Structure formats: C-alpha cells, structure tokens
Amino acid sequence: MAKQTDAIELQKNFALLIDGKLVETENFLRVINPATEKVFAHCPVADQTHLNTSVSAARRALDAWSSKSYEERAGYIQQLAILLREHKDFLASLLTQEQGKPLSQSVAEIDRGASQSEGIAGIEIPIEALVDDEERYIELQYRPLGVVGIITPWNAPVNLALGPLVSALYTGNTIILKPSPYTPLTTLKMGELMREIFPAGVINFLAGGDELGHEMTKHPEINKISFTGSVETGKKVMASAAGTLKRVTLELGGNDPAIILEDVDPEAIAKKIFFAAFVNSGQVCMAVKRIYAHEEIYEELCSALAKEAKNAKYGNGLDPENHLGPIQNKMQFNKVVGILEDTKKIGARFLSGGTLPDMPGYFFPPTLVTDIDEDSRLVREEQFGPIVPILKYKDVEDAIRRANDTPYGLSGSVWSNDRERATKIAKRLRVGTAWVNQHRATSAYVPFGGAKESGIGRQYSILGLKGYMEPEVLSVVK
C-alpha cells in the first residue's frame, strides 16, 4: 500500500498540455482519494484563455494532421499503445488513488485501453462507390470534422478518454480533452506521455470544472463534442452545442436489466452476474442494475448472489485482497446512501449489505435487495453504486415489458441454457446492445451506445469512427 508521503510527492508533477507545452497554473483543484477522504494531490485548472489557446493550436495543427494517411496516423496510435503499456504500473497506481478501484482493475483498464486503441486504428474506412455507370460516377467519402472536444467522466477515466481520443485522431481530427475534476490526474499524465509522440497542437489536455466543459460545448471553433456521463448533463451538453450546430456523440447512463430464465443453473451463473453488477462498485454505465429472475429459480439465485456478495471484500484499492473499492466521490456516495435509505423505508428485504461501515472513505458494501416495488427509486433510477435489486417474474412477457419500461436504453442481457430462445428475447430489449449469457462484452470493432435517453451516436467500430467525420458526396459526369 502506498504511503501518504508517496502520494504527497505527486502534487508537484501535474500540468496541462497546450500546443505541445506543459503548462502550470496558479489555480488548482484538490484531488481527493476516495478511500481516505483526504486530499492527496493538486491539479492545475484551465481558464478561458487556456481553452482559447488550445483551440487555436488545434486548428493550426489540423491541416497537417488531417493530410496524413490513415496508415500514418495509425502508426502514431501504435506508439501510444506501446507507451501506455510501458507506464501502466505508474498510471494504474495513480488511477487507483484518484478513482478508488482495485489496482488489478486499474491495470486491466490501461491494458484494455491500449488494446482498444490498436483495434480502432486497424479499422478501414473505405470510399464508397454509390454509382458507376456510363453517365456518372458518384462516391461517398468521409473527411475529418475538425477540432473535437472530449469530456470524460470519473468512473473509468482512462478507457473513456482513449476511445473517443483515438477515434478522433485516427480519423484526422485534432482534440481538446477535459477529464472529470474528480479524476483528472491519470488523464493529464497520459497527455504528458503523448506529448512525446504527437505533433504540437494535435492533442491538448485541460483540467477544470463544469464551467470549462460548458465553454467547450459552446465554443464556435470546436466542431464536435464527445461526452460521456449522466443523462441530465448530456441534455445540457446537447442544448449548449446546438448554438453552433456542433455534432455530438453522447454516451449516457443506463439502467441495464438482466433477465434470468428458469432453465439456468443459478450457482453456475452467479459469479458472472455478480461481477457484471458490482465491478467498480457498480459505477459502470453498462453494469447490470436490475435483475429479473424467474420464480422457479428466484430463491436459489438470490442465495447464490448473496454468497458472492458476502465473499467480496471491499476496501482500499491498493490492497490486493480487496475486490471492490469505494464510491468515487462524496456527491455520488450521498446519492447512493439516499437510495439506500429510501429502500429501507419501503420495507424491502436485504440479502447482503445495507449497513455502512464505520471507517474513513466512501465505502458501501455490496448490497442486494429483494421484495421491492417496481416503482421504487432503486428500480427506476440509475443507482450507479453497489446496490442492486432482484425482482421476481412468472411470465417472460411480463419480464420483457418491465425490462423495457424505462427511459434508459443502454444495454441488457438474457441468460438461459436455450441460446435460441434467449436470443429471440434479447432482440426484444429496447437497448443499444443486447447480450446473451454475457454482459459488458465490448470490442473496438463493435459499435456501442444507447437507445432512448441513454445517448446519441455510437463509439467504436466503423460506425463510431464515421461519427467523427463529415460524409461528403462527390458526383462526376462522365
């Protein structure tokens, strides 16, 4: 476990990246370790002048960068992936201190980010010939949008930065990236490392609060915003971006259902279901957030999941014995505690957790709840924390109706020994991604994003990459 003196040393080592230069500022953010509730680092804060300077630098760098071939830009991204792997131990330790997740999961996040980056940079975006006859040739080509503003959240700051960053760079755009003020440090360090690779102005990393994000969304010289975060904030981003008709990709919240059919072996799937619900202490947009279990296996599944919850150790993420870390920040902790208190008031039954530990940190034990009404906050809202309801159903049609009865539509899953039957049910979920006998399975080659209020546009795959480009028709008379 890192000593406090080690963390204090980190205070001196952070800077913004603007036009290839590391920039320090007089104003700073206090970054709190959620496992201790103590400030362990200071982070520089960008103002309007820093933003304008970054945008100007990104625009100056745009022509040279966009004129490079896909293969040339992919070469830069390959170097980025190598650099991330070379520095992953340091980055993972820093990520755990600012975000809270177990160190092994921080390492996995960086490894996955590197692999996803390589995957994205291996996707071909061909010119599409629409008509080629004796009279006309018409093709559909794609060109970069320009300067892309990227605003990322605090739950997976490495992965959720690299996806849009690499997509924007590979397609020929230049970028301004702003991480969450709760978890800015690992992102700024990645920017410092990337400075060794990318030409000045191509990448710019700024840190700041909501005001900086708002200035990015309305800035007239930023052509697109990629935002990952809550539905409420996503709506504000879209409204602000509308003033300049910016393109937007919004990856927003979810309330993912998992429908468990009666033919499963509860003991066999419990570990997978539990991990899909509680990884990163439930702070994952596509985590399982509602479990619908058939009445024939309901009690057995409840027992199997409760066993997993009681065996899951939680505590400081730097301790390798812990499976779960804290909730990342006080605001989110208070929200989840509020849902817990409301759940207690309505008389729901707790299979695990439900009592907060008397210890420093924003710790919340893995909590499973049954005998709860469909209209409760825990079922209707995105809890984004380690408290999950298990709901009983008798008829699968009822389960499908209840699963779809939500303004969210990010993802969902169906679990069964009958793959064909489960697939038919999964196709009826009104979500961006429906899985069968799995959850949270993503790939650089597969589009990901939400239906309904869970987002607009897609990340990853050729579909996601085209979202960072302007389609342009070329029509020639022969």
Side-chain angles (χ1 to χ4, degrees):
M1 185 177 296
K3 298 179 180 179
Q4 186 66 20
T5 52
D6 296 330
I8 289 174
E9 188 65 27
L10 295 173
Q11 294 187 96
K12 306 173 183 178
N13 296 330
F14 300 100
L16 311 177
L17 177 62
I18 301 175
D19 198 13
K21 303 178 183 66
L22 297 178
V23 177
E24 298 181 356
T25 65
E26 292 183 2
N27 297 324
F28 60 88
L29 294 168
R30 293 178 174 86
V31 183
I32 293 173
N33 183 332
T36 64
E37 299 183 60
K38 294 181 179 179
V39 174
F40 81 100
H42 289 168
C43 169
V45 174
D47 58 22
Q48 184 70 51
T49 300
H50 295 117
L51 175 59
N52 290 340
T53 302
S54 297
V55 173
S56 296
R59 298 214 74 83
R60 285 196 303 272
L62 182 60
D63 284 347
W65 181 252
S66 62
S67 67
K68 295 182 184 298
S69 67
Y70 286 108
E71 291 76 15
E72 288 175 312
R73 294 193 294 261
Y76 284 89
I77 293 166
Q78 290 286 349
Q79 294 179 60
L80 164 60
I82 292 170
L83 204 60
L84 288 172
R85 293 188 178 106
E86 288 177 347
H87 294 270
K88 71 177 178 182
D89 289 340
F90 167 73
L91 292 174
S93 176
L94 182 57
L95 178 57
T96 289
Q97 289 180 75
E98 66 173 339
Q99 200 282 331
K101 66 184 62 178
L103 187 59
S104 61
Q105 292 178 26
S106 292
V107 171
E109 181 173 339
I110 293 162
D111 277 334
R112 181 169 179 77
S115 297
Q116 291 276 71
S117 297
E118 291 171 329
I120 291 170
I123 297 172
E124 183 180 357
I125 307 175
I127 293 174
E128 303 170 28
L130 305 179
V131 176
D132 190 4
D133 56 25
E134 293 180 355
E135 298 180 353
R136 295 174 301 165
Y137 172 75
I138 303 175
E139 72 177 24
L140 179 61
Q141 61 181 1
Y142 295 86
R143 56 178 172 79
L145 285 170
V147 177
V148 174
I150 300 168
I151 303 173
T152 60
W154 43 259
N155 60 317
V158 172
N159 257 349
L160 296 177
L162 288 171
L165 179 146
V166 171
S167 297
L169 294 177
Y170 178 58
T171 50
N173 303 278
T174 53
I175 67 107
I176 316 291
L177 191 150
K178 187 196 90 69
S180 165
Y182 291 115
T183 55
L185 304 179
T186 312
T187 304
L188 291 184
K189 276 298 174 186
M190 288 198 302
E192 184 178 329
L193 294 172
M194 293 180 201
R195 176 173 174 255
E196 302 175 14
I197 301 171
F198 293 95
V202 171
I203 58 169
N204 301 271
F205 285 61
L206 306 180
D210 293 343
E211 289 185 5
L212 179 63
H214 179 64
E215 292 301 325
M216 289 174 63
T217 61
K218 71 177 187 178
H219 199 291
E221 296 298 314
I222 293 179
N223 305 102
K224 175 187 172 76
I225 292 290
S226 174
F227 171 80
T228 306
S230 70
V231 171
E232 180 182 0
T233 305
K235 291 177 180 179
K236 294 177 182 177
V237 168
M238 191 171 184
S240 179
T244 50
L245 286 181
K246 283 182 178 58
R247 297 344 184 224
V248 295
T249 296
L250 305 176
E251 185 184 325
L252 308 180
N255 193 358
D256 285 19
I259 299 176
I260 320 298
L261 303 186
E262 69 275 12
D263 61 356
V264 302
D265 178 354
E267 292 285 345
I269 68 166
K271 191 176 293 295
K272 293 180 181 179
I273 295 288
F274 180 82
F275 184 79
F278 288 95
V279 64
N280 199 19
S281 293
Q283 300 167 114
V284 178
C285 59
M286 55 179 161
V288 169
K289 298 186 175 77
R290 295 174 288 155
I291 300 171
Y292 290 94
H294 192 276
E295 62 179 11
E296 290 184 15
I297 50 92
Y298 177 79
E299 292 297 341
E300 191 177 351
L301 181 64
C302 285
S303 297
L305 288 172
K307 181 180 177 182
E308 292 294 330
K310 290 170 183 175
N311 288 336
K313 294 182 179 180
Y314 64 92
N316 194 313
L318 294 175
D319 184 341
E321 292 189 2
N322 291 324
H323 307 110
L324 302 174
I327 292 175
Q328 199 283 319
N329 59 77
K330 183 69 170 178
M331 178 185 68
Q332 184 63 23
F333 178 78
N334 287 340
K335 177 186 175 182
V336 181
V337 170
I339 291 175
L340 170 66
E341 295 303 320
D342 285 351
T343 302
K344 288 181 176 179
K345 289 177 183 177
I346 62 176
R349 180 165 62 103
F350 287 78
L351 299 178
S352 66
T355 302
L356 300 180
D358 183 15
M359 59 190 290
Y362 306 131
F363 291 105
F364 195 109
T367 301
L368 289 161
V369 178
T370 62
D371 300 337
I372 186 168
D373 190 82
E374 200 82 20
D375 291 328
S376 64
R377 285 186 67 195
L378 180 57
V379 177
R380 300 300 299 175
E381 297 182 15
E382 181 189 29
Q383 64 274 54
F384 218 67
I387 176 170
V388 177
I390 309 175
L391 303 124
K392 185 189 298 184
Y393 74 90
K394 180 177 182 179
D395 178 66
V396 72
E397 292 296 321
D398 178 55
I400 296 169
R401 179 191 62 79
R402 290 157 66 188
N404 286 331
D405 183 21
T406 174
Y408 297 97
L410 189 58
S411 45
S413 57
V414 181
W415 301 73
S416 172
N417 288 331
D418 186 338
R419 185 174 61 187
E420 183 177 351
R421 181 189 176 207
T423 300
K424 289 180 180 178
I425 294 170
K427 287 181 177 180
R428 296 175 61 189
L429 295 178
R430 299 295 177 253
V431 294
T433 301
W435 291 289
V436 172
N437 294 330
Q438 58 182 339
H439 206 102
R440 295 183 63 251
T442 60
S443 164
Y445 306 102
V446 178
F448 183 80
K452 297 188 278 188
E453 291 192 6
S454 285
I456 291 176
R458 293 295 184 267
Q459 299 281 12
Y460 307 117
S461 80
I462 190 169
L463 184 61
L465 290 175
K466 287 179 178 179
Y468 290 86
M469 308 183 81
E470 189 70 56
E472 183 176 9
V473 171
L474 174 66
S475 184
V476 179
V477 176
K478 293 183 178 179

